[in-house]
Amino acid sequence: MAKLRLVKPAALDEPLRSVVGDRTAKVLADGLGLHTTGDLLHHYPRRYATRGELTDLAGLSDGEDVTVLAEVLTARRRRMRQRKGDILEVVVTDGRGRLTLTFFGRGVHEPDKELKPGFRGMFAGRISTYGGRRQLTHPEYHVLPGGADAGGTGGAGTRVLAAAREFADELIPVYPATKGMTSWRIARCVSMILDTVDIGADSMPEPIRRRHDLIGLREAYEGIHRPADLAVARRARERLRWDEAFVVQAALARRRRAAATLPARPRARVEGGLLDAFDARLPFRLTAGQLAVGAEIAADLAAEHPMHRLLQGDVGAGKTVVALRAMLQVVDAGGQAALLAPTEVLAQQHHRSIMTLLGPLAQAGQLGGADEATRAVLLTGSQGAKARRAALLDAASGAAGIVVGTHALLQEHVQFADLGLVVVDEQHRFGVEQRDALREKVAGGRPHVLVMTATPIPRTVAMTVFGDLDTSTLTQLPDGRAAISTHVVPPERPHYLRRAWERIREEVAAGRQVYVVCPRIGDQEGADEDIDEDLIDGDVDEGAGAAGQDDFAQDDPAQDDFAQDDFAQDDFAQDGGEQRTWSVADVLPRLEEDWLPGLRIGVLHGRLPADEKDATMRRFAAGEFDVLLATTVIEVGVDVPNATVMMIMDADRFGVSQLHQLRGRVGRGALPGLCLFVTRSPGGTKARERLDAVAATTDGFELARLDLEQRREGDVLGAAQSGRRSSLKLLTLLKDEELIRTARDEANALIDGDPDLTRHPVLAAELAALVDDDRAEYLEKG
Ligand code: ADP
Ligand code: MG
């Protein structure tokens, strides 16, 4: 008796090979990264063409890979003059413009037979210009059935006329294609799957479908690949777009729920403790937003389940104080708090400012320490053995209520007596894995977790990438902040640059301080010299930090052609004549000799030893340097209220949020800030537009949107999009906010009613499969 197969592999996991054959499967895999029948079904048409509507040939540009629908006008075969053999020139038209298809040698026979005047076909290849004419050389082509008369109406009765019109209106899907795999071959493969493969049950629960008027899955695949008309295609896309939002939200809802049911030790607020003493000595009044968010966090901490909260707010909104108050509540309740920063510079600064803000409250056991005092210790990878041992001991014994370190603290074997709260500062990408690492630090429970972002993030990103966290937002800046004015210093206005140095000297003369930031360190030769390792170690916001480096790598060549000497004449010429971006090493001697002679200049970048970095920051904060020449190590969090000018060299090398972060280093007190974007990008370029946009507003939420618009979604979602498969194809985080929100509500309700998904086995299976999918990757790493 045949064995029953209890588990039938989901039909969409079928390797393509078994449906379309080995050779085609290989081209689909190599060229488009499609491996399974499901992959191919999710390879959606970019658009639809109709036979009646020919491609606008005037819109094609050189070098473009195109698939055009056009009608053959003439076909002419002749002998080649220079070489042996024939050349076939077929001219096709869209009714107005023309495009020449050229075939020669042995490749002329088939097209010569098939491409007759009046025939319509699809032609795929790369556009080039030859002798002033646009052409495709040896394009792949596909003659549309119906021949020369298909579109014609002459002499026919009404029935024939109607049939002809229907034929002309039929939609032809146009797929993202690749060499060796044209759009129409993809369409054939997709059709094969649709005709033969069992698509399986629909994971979207029927009631949800009904509520939102969504069609079934099978119908949706049919509708997106073989639509009868555009309305059908639209409904199909809508359904599949929903899927993308819903499955992700269901996964997040489950994770949220799982976390919410875990135990945590409640850390309710204690009257008359450190927190009250701290509030009493705070030199400013908390904003309404800080108080409101503080109350949310206080309530979370008092609960028996771990807090998982994201605190976002614009640069300078005052997130640190909010976090510190949460930490003090936990310490008052007998627990410890850890504060993790992305870089050593920032960890050191946090430690310093916590010590200042707490004063005697952080001097337990010391002369002058307050009765209720605790200790705040710093733990970094590179500190001296003795200091480190003392800090480790304080963490393990519980003597330190607050432990400040870099994210590396998670990987190290740091023991805590009773870790109650972990605050992760300035991090966009603090993943589930890291949170898990944290939990191992806590026996018999889980710490409360507060994640703070470096810059505001658009709502939809918060809902997807951070969708398993509750969100608090600080929308206002503390009162009394003076404005920051931002100016682009462009290559066509060399006197702006001279004026900029002058302004800097004036500021310094008035007792203020200045940052000068360069994209590179420049002290080492070689490919990696541009990357500031401190940022990499800290894994600072890849979106911004690494994007800058990415931009650098794929810089537009036009920029490199822009000779340095054309720029700001001698005033800004670099030695050696080699064209490259400004580095700290290049700029230092120029500052000393030409631009800011006599000023006290400190240098800061990631390759300096930790104690030197700390000393430099400390001295800058103490006013011992007028100028801090740095890389983006100062990008996040650095807080020196007396600094009033931020000068960014080759500002076009940085991303939107990075520029906003850097600018946020000035205007932090009552003194007005000045931000200067020095660029060699000529006007009218994308880079210049970006700088102008950042200069035009200081609203971080608006810039976050702009950033999202400018980046590929892939950068937002991490590895998921850059790799072979991408999960969000129809959904765009920028436009589909409403849908994502609705899908989230539905997912929450569903998981609340059926936490283990026992009544939704198909969805459960789909979520389980996510573990091996890139989507999970971005959920985890995102
Ligand atoms: P961010 O949200 O960018 O991390 P910070 O927490 O570093 O901002 O705060 C920026 C500056 O504003 C700090 O110098 C901080 O002491 C100060 N600050 C915070 N809250 C207030 C407030 N309510 N009133 C005045 N200054 C404040
Ligand atoms: Mg901060």
Side-chain angles (χ1 to χ4, degrees):
M1 204 171 110
K3 248 187 168 168
L4 271 179
R5 272 184 76 187
L6 289 178
V7 185
K8 178 170 158 285
L12 296 187
D13 284 346
E14 201 96 25
L16 276 170
R17 188 173 1 100
S18 61
V19 185
V20 300
D22 283 344
R23 268 187 42 207
T24 304
K26 186 166 165 25
V27 184
L28 287 168
D30 295 349
L32 296 166
L34 308 173
H35 302 278
T36 64
T37 50
D39 290 348
L40 188 53
L41 277 189
H42 290 118
H43 188 69
Y44 303 132
R46 194 163 358 113
R47 60 188 175 85
Y48 305 92
T50 58
R51 286 179 170 80
E53 278 167 26
L54 302 178
T55 311
D56 177 11
L57 296 177
L60 306 175
S61 44
D62 255 22
E64 202 181 351
D65 285 308
V66 296
T67 301
V68 300
L69 199 101
E71 186 171 311
V72 176
L73 198 64
T74 59
R76 200 162 65 92
R77 183 171 171 168
R78 59 178 165 76
R79 294 236 86 121
M80 278 192 280
R81 266 176 239 118
Q82 319 282 359
R83 280 188 278 166
K84 249 179 71 182
D86 282 359
I87 184 165
L88 173 68
E89 280 186 343
V90 178
V91 176
V92 298
T93 179
D94 60 0
R96 291 170 304 260
R98 292 173 182 202
L99 180 68
T100 306
L101 317 177
T102 319
F103 303 87
F104 37 80
R106 300 212 299 201
V108 302
H109 303 300
E110 291 285 311
D112 194 24
K113 271 188 287 172
E114 292 176 350
L115 300 177
K116 298 292 183 199
F119 279 53
R120 288 184 172 192
M122 295 173 81
F123 309 93
R126 180 167 295 179
I127 296 284
S128 60
T129 301
Y130 184 76
R133 287 180 314 182
R134 287 276 162 72
Q135 68 164 20
L136 293 174
T137 307
H138 278 294
E140 299 209 47
Y141 65 90
H142 175 60
V143 180
L144 298 173
D149 311 325
T153 54
T158 41
R159 253 183 51 222
V160 179
L161 197 72
R165 188 170 302 138
E166 194 174 295
F167 180 80
D169 286 346
E170 192 180 313
L171 295 180
I172 302 163
V174 180
Y175 288 93
T178 181
K179 202 167 158 42
M181 185 51 67
T182 54
S183 176
W184 53 90
R185 276 184 74 196
I186 294 171
R188 268 206 300 272
C189 293
V190 170
S191 276
M192 243 144 67
I193 293 174
L194 287 174
D195 292 341
T196 59
V197 172
D198 171 17
I199 280 165
D202 195 336
S203 67
M204 174 94 66
E206 165 71 31
I208 297 183
R209 262 171 26 215
R210 221 174 320 109
R211 269 198 292 283
H212 302 283
D213 194 22
L214 299 170
I215 59 176
L217 188 60
R218 164 99 219 170
E219 206 186 325
Y221 285 133
E222 277 288 346
I224 200 163
H225 291 293
R226 302 194 287 207
D229 56 50
L230 284 174
V232 168
R234 213 173 299 120
R235 279 175 65 77
R237 291 177 83 84
E238 179 66 7
R239 154 66 211 245
L240 294 167
R241 180 160 44 228
W242 247 89
D243 274 6
E244 292 179 4
F246 180 70
V247 172
V248 168
Q249 291 302 332
L252 290 167
R254 259 188 124 186
R255 184 164 290 151
R256 247 189 331 258
R257 188 174 168 96
T261 55
L262 296 169
R265 181 151 351 148
R267 314 279 182 174
R269 179 153 186 179
V270 175
E271 300 283 320
L274 272 171
L275 178 52
D276 284 347
F278 173 77
D279 282 348
R281 54 170 277 135
L282 205 57
F284 45 73
R285 278 166 69 142
L286 295 171
T287 63
Q290 284 172 320
L291 285 170
V293 169
E296 281 175 344
I297 294 172
D300 282 359
L301 293 174
E304 291 177 349
H305 303 292
M307 168 172 79
H308 288 276
R309 190 169 283 280
L310 173 74
L311 171 56
Q312 66 157 331
D314 206 344
V315 176
K319 296 181 285 284
T320 314
V321 170
V322 172
L324 183 54
R325 294 183 71 246
M327 294 194 274
L328 294 174
Q329 174 172 335
V330 169
V331 176
D332 278 339
Q336 291 169 289
L339 171 59
L340 308 183
T343 64
E344 290 217 347
V345 168
L346 208 50
Q348 286 154 350
Q349 177 192 275
H350 271 316
H351 182 248
R352 264 197 314 277
S353 64
I354 285 174
M355 293 303 277
T356 313
L357 281 167
L358 289 179
L361 300 176
Q363 295 166 8
Q366 280 174 261
L367 210 61
D371 289 343
E372 65 273 64
T374 184
R375 253 183 244 168
V377 300
L378 177 68
L379 245 178
T380 62
S382 52
Q383 70 194 145
K386 202 170 143 220
R388 187 176 165 75
R389 214 173 316 118
L392 284 170
L393 204 65
D394 279 352
S397 71
I402 294 174
V403 178
V404 182
T406 58
H407 293 163
L409 210 73
L410 295 178
Q411 277 92 57
E412 294 164 15
H413 301 283
V414 180
Q415 296 295 319
F416 290 87
D418 180 11
L419 182 59
L421 169 65
V422 176
V423 178
V424 183
D425 188 26
E426 310 287 12
Q427 183 60 295
H428 272 177
R429 299 165 58 80
F430 187 71
V432 169
E433 257 164 55
Q434 280 122 314
R435 276 174 242 159
D436 285 343
L438 270 179
R439 288 183 187 125
E440 288 162 19
K441 306 267 171 219
V442 183
R446 313 212 162 201
H448 300 281
V449 176
L450 180 66
V451 178
M452 301 197 282
T453 62
T455 45
I457 48 179
R459 293 180 57 82
T460 45
V461 176
M463 280 190 285
T464 43
V465 181
F466 295 101
D468 56 340
L469 306 176
D470 297 314
T471 305
S472 295
T473 306
L474 289 175
T475 48
Q476 58 183 154
L477 299 183
D479 288 340
R481 288 279 163 78
I484 303 177
S485 49
T486 310
H487 302 280
V488 177
V489 180
E492 67 270 15
R493 296 230 175 8
H495 59 283
Y496 278 25
L497 188 65
R498 284 192 289 273
R499 175 72 191 120
W501 295 122
E502 212 173 284
R503 266 302 301 275
I504 288 176
R505 290 192 296 264
E506 288 163 14
E507 288 289 315
V508 171
R512 315 285 173 241
Q513 289 163 283
V514 174
Y515 297 99
V516 177
V517 173
C518 297
R520 297 186 303 133
I521 302 175
D523 62 345
Q524 284 177 9
E525 291 308 318
D528 289 338
E529 75 161 324
D530 303 299
I531 297 164
D532 193 329
E533 282 153 15
D534 198 6
L535 292 174
I536 292 176
D537 292 344
D539 189 23
V540 161
D541 167 22
E542 278 224 11
Q549 283 143 14
D550 269 352
D551 285 348
F552 183 69
Q554 40 177 256
D555 193 40
D556 54 328
Q559 164 100 12
D560 284 340
D561 292 340
F562 199 79
Q564 186 119 35
D565 291 0
D566 295 346
F567 178 56
Q569 290 96 25
D570 299 343
D571 198 21
F572 208 33
Q574 232 171 299
D575 294 335
E578 192 191 335
Q579 175 57 48
R580 51 184 189 171
T581 50
W582 287 105
S583 70
V584 169
D586 300 326
V587 168
L588 183 60
R590 302 299 310 269
L591 288 179
E592 287 171 334
E593 288 154 31
D594 307 322
W595 298 325
L596 303 173
L599 302 196
R600 299 165 302 166
I601 299 169
V603 173
L604 188 71
H605 58 73
R607 260 203 300 271
L608 295 171
D611 51 350
E612 197 175 327
K613 278 187 279 192
D614 190 29
T616 303
M617 258 330 286
R618 203 189 293 268
R619 292 181 63 190
F620 185 66
E624 290 174 33
F625 293 123
D626 305 309
V627 178
L628 188 65
L629 173 61
T631 59
T632 53
V633 281
I634 60 149
E635 177 189 335
V636 288
V638 164
D639 186 23
V640 177
N642 190 49
T644 53
V645 184
M646 168 60 66
M647 171 113 161
I648 304 173
M649 309 298 281
D650 289 316
D652 46 281
R653 301 296 163 133
F654 301 97
V656 170
S657 65
Q658 223 173 358
L659 292 169
H660 183 57
Q661 263 296 330
L662 285 167
R663 175 169 57 185
R665 300 311 104 216
V666 297
R668 296 180 75 78
L671 302 168
L674 173 66
C675 181
L676 300 165
F677 295 155
V678 181
T679 177
R680 284 175 277 188
S681 290
T685 56
K686 270 238 152 53
R688 278 289 288 280
E689 278 169 27
R690 187 171 65 225
L691 295 182
D692 288 340
V694 180
T697 177
T698 50
D699 180 341
F701 286 89
E702 197 181 317
L703 288 172
R705 261 193 97 74
L706 178 76
D707 199 21
L708 186 58
E709 260 171 59
Q710 293 209 337
R711 286 196 223 169
R712 291 162 297 142
E713 302 258 308
D715 295 331
V716 178
L717 297 181
Q721 303 291 301
S722 52
R724 51 226 153 74
R725 290 162 70 181
S726 76
S727 16
L728 299 193
K729 295 187 162 115
L730 301 172
L731 195 70
T732 65
L733 292 177
L734 203 61
K735 296 196 198 107
D736 291 322
E737 178 165 348
E738 187 59 39
L739 192 160
I740 293 171
R741 199 198 317 264
T742 315
R744 183 164 125 119
D745 291 345
E746 287 288 4
N748 279 339
L750 182 98
I751 299 291
D752 280 346
D754 184 15
D756 300 322
L757 292 176
T758 41
R759 281 180 282 118
H760 299 91
V762 186
L763 181 61
E766 192 159 332
L767 293 191
L770 267 182
V771 174
D772 301 322
D773 197 286
D774 318 56
R775 253 186 296 202
E777 205 169 298
Y778 94 68
L779 290 178
E780 305 291 328
K781 302 250 158 60

